[in-house]
């Protein structure tokens, strides 16, 4: 999509759809593809859209049929499928839907248009304000969902920064039973005053207690629900540390290999039509699943546990039963295994656990000893590598038995500030608040990193991020309003069921944007000044690598020599004539501090990105022990290439 004419101008409310190559110089190659489509189309009689069955896929199919195939969108048919297995594709081809899925197309189109209106106008307002003030160009962006997401992060960051450490006290205690020590909990979890904890320690230290009661409870734990994309992303983050975007990319590859069903789904349901037994039978050909899959097949009736969420286009994520034809990468293997095991687990029996709570009385105070035992593994057998709850076995004890307090101490603690979001918890927050879609959330988080508004895995907002969020919430609060964003999201969702129209949503979006953009324009000078200062600071920050190892007081920075026009690493104390430490740098590509230290020498690492190469970490310590190792390996490599 693009508008006619100038790019350094806003507001823009009129736009048209056009081939990407005509709007973006970087998209030259799309011209050939579209021409191939047109050429093939001119000799074809039947048209069937076989793009992924979702907003994006349907819209792509529609655009190709309309613009590249000379308006065939009216007569084309539509294949509907959730996996790329041969059987399902053949079935979908033989019995296509008679028309394109216009509701999906309209919803997809509206989303693009609304996001374009917001993104282009707001980003231009910020970028131009900064450029007019400083004369320098820097891409600043914000969008419809990016604004509110940044606001969550800023809110949390403010809580953390304004946090005042509040002390509290607890009791740490151990009891000895039959020669072994067991940790016990005091009846009151915390004390607001130190003296309260001291009194308990005084009264119970080295005393003998008596077991007063023993409570045993049985707990039934139902199997987990099938994976929707969000749940898969959360689980992959917690077990493998993969960011949501990485997980969805890996899942996409597995889908293209026909190993799993379409991953961008919000469904937690598995309809019988996917044929559970056939999938399990196919999976049982893989040695590591053989035993488990056969066990389920022997059960007779297969009925999955299902979650509440549904998706009109696709079921929950499930393995197709196909086995990998080529070797999977380690990441692909892990995600596939997670999906396979989750699929098997939803057919499992409930797990039964026993919990035991032993109450020990000591001089009028109470301590609790807790134990856990698994009585029946149930579904956990299928999902075992991805289960954390461990057993805590207790000795056999009886009421009235005397036990010796081994250790009773006061522990001094502070109430912790709320934790920072990580990419996974932020994604969950966006999901809960109903902003963005399953297909876009992970990308929005990456954009916040890419623009330098946030940094690090435990997401911290940068100064630039703070300034952007401040400007937006001061001058255009609707743009960062979660409520407003969610409402717009819901309206677009209703287009899917034909209960809302594209035109209405667009008119509303424009009406919301108009006053916002006017205000931004009026205050352009002020905003430009704030942003320019923030960008300047960010540019300096980006070049600081860490503390100088030789003078200890200066900072190492990426510097440019006016004379030689070369870049190098120098100490900031050089300018005060205090330190002459310097190191050479590669002259090509981009170099950024990696925010990580070398595992061998602990010096800060650099992140080097060179076009056409995989980015790598560079240790600039000339005496780093890893250097020698790497030199030898490179030599081996070049020898191998020569031979
Ligand atoms: Zn120095
Ligand atoms: Zn090193």
């Amino acid at each position: 999509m693009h508008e006619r004419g100038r790019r350094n101008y806003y507001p823009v409310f009129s736009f048209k759809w056009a081939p990407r190559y005509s709007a973006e110089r970087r998209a030259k190659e799309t011209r050939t593809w579209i021409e191939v489509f047109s050429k093939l189309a001119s000799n074809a009689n039947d048209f069937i859209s076989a793009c992924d069955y979702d907003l994006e896929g349907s819209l792509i199919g529609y655009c190709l049929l309309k613009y590249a195939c000379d308006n065939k969108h009216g007569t084309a048919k539509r294949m509907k499928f959730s996996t790329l297995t041969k059987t399902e594709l053949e079935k979908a081809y033989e019995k296509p839907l008679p028309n394109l899925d216009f509701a999906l197309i309209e919803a997809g189109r509206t989303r693009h248009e609304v996001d374009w209106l917001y993104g282009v106008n707001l980003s231009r307002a910020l970028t131009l304000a900064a450029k007019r003030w400083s004369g320098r160009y820097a891409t600043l962006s914000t969008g419809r969902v990016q604004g509110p997401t940044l606001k969550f992060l800023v809110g949390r960051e403010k809580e953390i920064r304004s946090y005042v450490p509040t002390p509290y006290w607890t009791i740490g205690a151990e009891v000895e039973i039959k020669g072994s020590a067991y940790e016990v909990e005091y009846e009151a979890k915390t004390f607001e005053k130190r003296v309260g904890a001291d009194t308990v320690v005084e009264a119970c230290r080295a005393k003998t207690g008596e077991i007063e009661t023993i409570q045993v409870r049985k707990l039934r734990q139902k199997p987990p629900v099938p994976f929707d994309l969000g749940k898969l992303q959360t689980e992959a983050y917690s077990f493998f540390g993969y960011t949501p975007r990485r997980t969805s990319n890996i899942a996409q590859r597995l889908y293209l290999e026909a190993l799993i069903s379409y991953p961008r789904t919000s469904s937690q349901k598995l309809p019988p039509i996917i044929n559970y037994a056939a999938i399990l039978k196919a999976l049982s050909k893989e040695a590591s699943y053989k035993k488990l899959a056969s066990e389920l097949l022997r059960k007779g009736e297969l009925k999955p546990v299902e979650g509440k969420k549904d998706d009109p286009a696709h079921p929950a994520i499930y393995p197709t039963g196909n086995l990998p034809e080529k070797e999977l990468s380690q990441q692909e293997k892990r995600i596939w295994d997670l999906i396979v095991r989750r699929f098997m687990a939803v057919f499992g029996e409930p797990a039964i656990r026993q919990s035991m709570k032993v109450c020990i009385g000591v001089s009028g105070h109470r301590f609790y000893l807790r134990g856990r035992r698994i009585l029946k593994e149930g579904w956990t057998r299928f999902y075992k590598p991805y289960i954390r709850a461990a057993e805590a076995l207790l000795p056999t004890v009886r009421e009235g038995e005397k036990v010796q307090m081994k250790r009773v101490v006061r522990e001094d603690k502070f109430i912790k500030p709320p934790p920072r979001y990580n990419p996974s918890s932020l994604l969950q927050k966006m999901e809960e608040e109903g902003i963005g879609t399953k297909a876009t959330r992970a990308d929005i988080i990456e954009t916040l990193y890419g623009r330098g508004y946030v940094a690090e895995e435990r997401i911290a907002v940068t100064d630039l991020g703070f300034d952007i969020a401040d400007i937006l919430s001061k001058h255009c609060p609707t743009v960062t309003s979660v409520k407003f964003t969610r409402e717009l999201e819901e309206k677009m969702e209703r287009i899917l069921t034909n209960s809302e129209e594209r035109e209405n949503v667009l008119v509303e979006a424009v009406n919301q944007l108009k006053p916002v953009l006017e205000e931004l324009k009026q205050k352009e000078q002020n905003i430009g000044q704030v942003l320019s200062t923030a960008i300047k600071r960010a540019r300096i920050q980006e070049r600081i690598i860490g503390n100088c190892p030789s003078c200890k007081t200066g900072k190492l920075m990426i510097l440019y020599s006016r004379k030689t026009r070369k870049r190098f690493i120098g100490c900031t104390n050089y300018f005060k004539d205090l330190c002459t430490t310097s190191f050479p740098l590669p002259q090509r590509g981009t170099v950024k501090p990696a925010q990580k230290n070398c595992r061998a020498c602990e010096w800060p690492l650099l992140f080097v990105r060179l076009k056409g190469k995989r980015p790598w970490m560079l240790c600039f310590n000339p005496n780093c022990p890893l250097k020698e190792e790497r030199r030898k390996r490179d030599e081996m490599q070049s020898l191998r290439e020569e031979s």
Side-chain angles (χ1 to χ4, degrees):
M1 272 169 64
H2 76 144
E3 100 268 28
R4 290 161 220 262
R6 293 148 57 192
R7 270 157 194 273
N8 56 352
Y9 176 84
Y10 73 92
V12 271
F13 295 126
S14 67
F15 52 81
K16 60 169 188 157
W17 286 78
R20 238 180 92 198
Y21 63 78
S22 69
E24 257 177 74
R25 225 177 305 152
R26 270 181 308 176
K28 265 197 314 228
E29 75 281 1
T30 57
R31 177 174 215 135
T32 328
W33 301 340
I34 291 175
E35 280 169 2
V36 169
F37 266 104
S38 302
K39 188 147 186 247
L40 292 171
S42 63
N43 298 319
N45 301 320
D46 286 323
F47 291 84
I48 303 179
S49 165
C51 295
D52 281 346
Y53 199 84
D54 67 0
L55 290 190
E56 282 297 299
S58 290
L59 186 60
I60 292 170
Y62 168 83
C63 286
L64 276 172
L65 288 160
K66 184 174 159 127
Y67 299 108
C69 306
D70 190 21
N71 290 306
K72 292 295 187 304
H73 56 286
T75 50
K77 299 188 181 95
R78 178 71 163 115
M79 275 168 69
K80 189 180 176 183
F81 51 88
S82 292
T83 69
L84 296 185
T85 55
K86 192 160 175 267
T87 354
E88 188 169 353
L89 287 181
E90 279 173 358
K91 225 188 276 169
Y93 179 76
E94 271 156 29
K95 287 205 173 84
L97 306 178
N99 301 110
L100 292 187
D101 38 0
F102 287 104
L104 222 53
I105 293 165
E106 281 293 284
R109 200 172 142 196
T110 314
R111 210 164 258 291
H112 264 273
E113 291 172 351
V114 167
D115 286 348
W116 187 89
L117 286 170
Y118 271 80
V120 163
N121 283 298
L122 293 171
S123 300
R124 274 187 199 174
L126 297 179
T127 304
L128 290 175
K131 184 164 180 273
R132 283 186 188 137
W133 177 266
S134 66
R136 290 184 72 180
Y137 183 83
T139 309
L140 291 167
S141 83
T142 185
R144 201 174 53 76
V145 183
Q146 209 182 312
T149 308
L150 185 58
K151 199 169 124 180
F152 294 145
L153 294 166
V154 166
R156 181 57 61 90
E157 194 72 35
K158 281 186 178 156
E159 270 177 76
I160 293 169
R161 290 193 189 178
S162 63
Y163 157 79
V164 186
T166 319
Y168 71 96
W169 292 270
T170 61
I171 302 289
E174 273 176 0
V175 59
E176 191 178 300
I177 304 172
K178 301 189 172 80
S180 311
Y182 296 90
E183 212 163 297
V184 289
E185 288 164 22
Y186 183 65
E187 57 186 312
K189 287 222 160 62
T190 61
F191 293 89
E192 279 174 33
K193 295 220 161 66
R194 191 165 69 180
V195 59
D198 284 338
T199 317
V200 177
V201 173
E202 205 52 46
C204 305
R205 191 167 44 199
K207 293 278 162 56
T208 304
E210 186 185 312
I211 293 180
E212 292 177 349
T213 55
I214 300 170
Q215 281 174 40
V216 179
R217 280 205 309 154
K218 257 193 204 174
L219 292 169
R220 267 167 61 95
Q221 196 187 1
K222 276 195 358 181
V225 301
F227 274 143
D228 61 321
L229 180 62
K231 274 261 171 348
L232 172 66
Q233 285 168 323
T234 311
E235 205 80 332
Y237 183 82
S238 92
F239 284 99
F240 315 132
Y242 297 167
T243 61
R245 177 150 84 171
R246 191 156 160 208
T247 299
S248 84
N249 287 346
I250 299 167
Q252 177 68 15
R253 292 204 295 274
L254 294 173
Y255 164 72
L256 291 176
E257 290 291 319
L259 294 173
I260 64 165
S261 64
Y262 189 67
R264 272 186 285 278
T265 173
S266 41
S267 168
Q268 298 173 334
K269 300 193 189 298
L270 291 172
I273 190 153
I274 67 170
N275 198 345
Y276 317 134
I279 295 172
L280 289 169
K281 205 174 273 171
L283 286 173
S284 69
K285 296 202 178 84
E286 170 78 31
S288 46
Y289 304 135
K290 185 165 193 246
K291 220 175 125 223
L292 296 171
S294 316
E295 188 184 317
L296 286 175
L297 284 166
R298 278 196 301 275
K299 260 179 71 165
E301 200 206 7
L302 288 165
K303 200 171 179 309
V305 163
E306 292 185 322
K308 285 201 189 81
K309 285 165 69 188
D310 206 351
D311 187 320
H314 298 281
I317 304 171
Y318 63 90
T320 60
N322 281 6
L323 302 181
E325 279 172 22
K326 55 175 198 218
E327 178 93 30
L328 296 180
S329 70
Q330 195 205 21
Q331 303 176 4
E332 291 163 346
K333 243 185 245 161
R334 283 174 158 178
I335 296 292
W336 185 55
D337 184 65
L338 183 61
I339 291 169
V340 170
R341 287 183 187 275
R342 180 74 160 215
F343 176 75
M344 293 193 289
V346 304
F347 295 101
E349 303 289 328
I352 298 175
R353 282 198 289 198
Q354 189 187 60
S355 77
M356 205 157 113
K357 185 175 166 192
V358 178
C359 175
I360 301 163
V362 188
S363 336
H365 295 271
R366 276 192 183 79
F367 292 84
Y368 299 116
L369 172 62
R370 289 176 196 277
R372 279 188 308 278
R373 203 151 65 100
I374 292 167
L375 296 181
K376 209 180 126 202
E377 281 188 309
W379 63 270
T380 61
R381 274 167 39 66
F382 302 95
Y383 205 53
K384 211 167 220 168
Y386 312 114
I387 286 172
R388 286 218 170 93
E391 289 198 302
L393 299 177
L394 294 185
T396 7
V397 286
R398 54 178 174 76
E399 284 174 14
E401 193 174 325
K402 296 269 187 280
V403 291
Q404 181 61 39
M405 296 309 287
K406 219 176 142 15
R407 188 179 68 102
V408 183
V409 293
R410 187 193 78 218
E411 288 171 346
D412 304 353
K413 292 178 179 162
F414 284 97
I415 295 172
K416 284 203 191 98
R420 292 212 155 87
Y421 286 104
N422 60 41
S424 169
S425 60
L426 181 59
L427 187 104
Q428 280 173 54
K429 173 80 177 162
M430 293 168 78
E431 232 178 77
E432 274 164 34
E433 299 285 347
I435 62 170
T437 67
K438 54 192 178 265
T440 56
R441 287 183 194 119
D443 285 333
I444 286 162
I445 298 174
E446 297 289 329
T447 307
L448 291 174
Y449 278 104
R451 296 280 184 236
Y453 300 165
V454 303
E456 295 165 51
E457 174 165 345
R458 288 269 153 200
I459 307 175
V461 181
T462 62
D463 292 340
L464 182 60
F466 258 106
D467 286 329
I468 295 270
D470 252 10
I471 285 168
L472 291 178
S473 55
K474 208 182 284 166
H475 302 292
C476 32
T478 45
V479 168
T480 53
S481 154
V482 175
K483 185 167 164 283
F484 171 70
T485 307
R486 182 192 309 130
E487 282 166 5
L488 196 60
E489 214 78 71
E490 285 162 0
K491 280 205 183 86
M492 289 193 273
E493 206 64 33
R494 281 203 289 276
I495 297 178
L496 280 175
T497 50
N498 292 314
S499 45
E500 182 61 81
E501 277 172 36
R502 171 179 157 266
E503 282 76 16
N504 290 342
V505 179
L506 282 179
V507 166
E508 192 179 317
V510 169
N511 287 342
Q512 285 287 352
L513 270 174
K514 263 188 187 151
V516 165
L517 294 169
E518 259 160 44
E519 163 136 14
L520 286 176
K521 189 155 261 178
Q522 259 175 31
K523 307 216 168 121
E524 192 174 76
Q525 274 227 326
N526 183 349
I527 293 171
Q529 185 181 7
V530 174
L531 287 176
S532 303
T533 321
I535 294 167
K536 207 169 154 196
R537 208 169 36 197
R539 281 193 172 130
I540 292 174
Q541 213 73 43
E542 237 169 46
R543 287 162 43 202
I544 292 178
I545 298 163
N547 293 329
C548 172
S550 71
C551 71
K552 314 280 184 201
T553 59
K555 297 247 185 251
L556 290 185
M557 248 184 115
I558 300 172
L559 297 170
Y560 294 85
S561 154
R562 287 237 173 96
K563 227 190 292 168
T564 60
R565 296 185 159 268
K566 280 192 172 168
R567 65 177 169 208
F568 63 98
I569 293 171
C571 175
T572 46
N573 274 345
Y574 174 79
F575 302 104
K576 298 183 201 158
D577 283 330
L578 290 172
C579 183
T580 55
T581 304
S582 78
F583 303 95
L585 273 178
Q587 297 303 315
R588 292 194 302 143
T590 56
V591 179
K592 265 187 7 189
Q595 321 284 5
K596 256 189 205 152
N597 290 353
C598 173
R599 67 190 155 88
C601 70
E602 305 247 307
W603 282 37
L605 287 173
L606 293 169
F607 192 69
V608 188
R609 204 187 272 277
L610 199 58
K611 210 182 162 194
K613 277 199 173 178
R614 265 178 66 182
W616 73 94
M617 300 278 191
L618 174 77
C619 176
F620 59 88
N621 177 3
N623 303 316
C624 176
L626 277 182
K627 284 254 149 84
E628 188 57 16
E629 227 174 84
R630 195 168 306 128
R631 196 185 54 77
K632 279 189 194 143
R633 207 178 48 213
D634 287 350
E635 245 165 44
M636 291 287 291
Q637 186 70 30
S638 59
L639 277 177
R640 225 174 289 146
E641 274 162 15
E642 273 165 35
S643 61

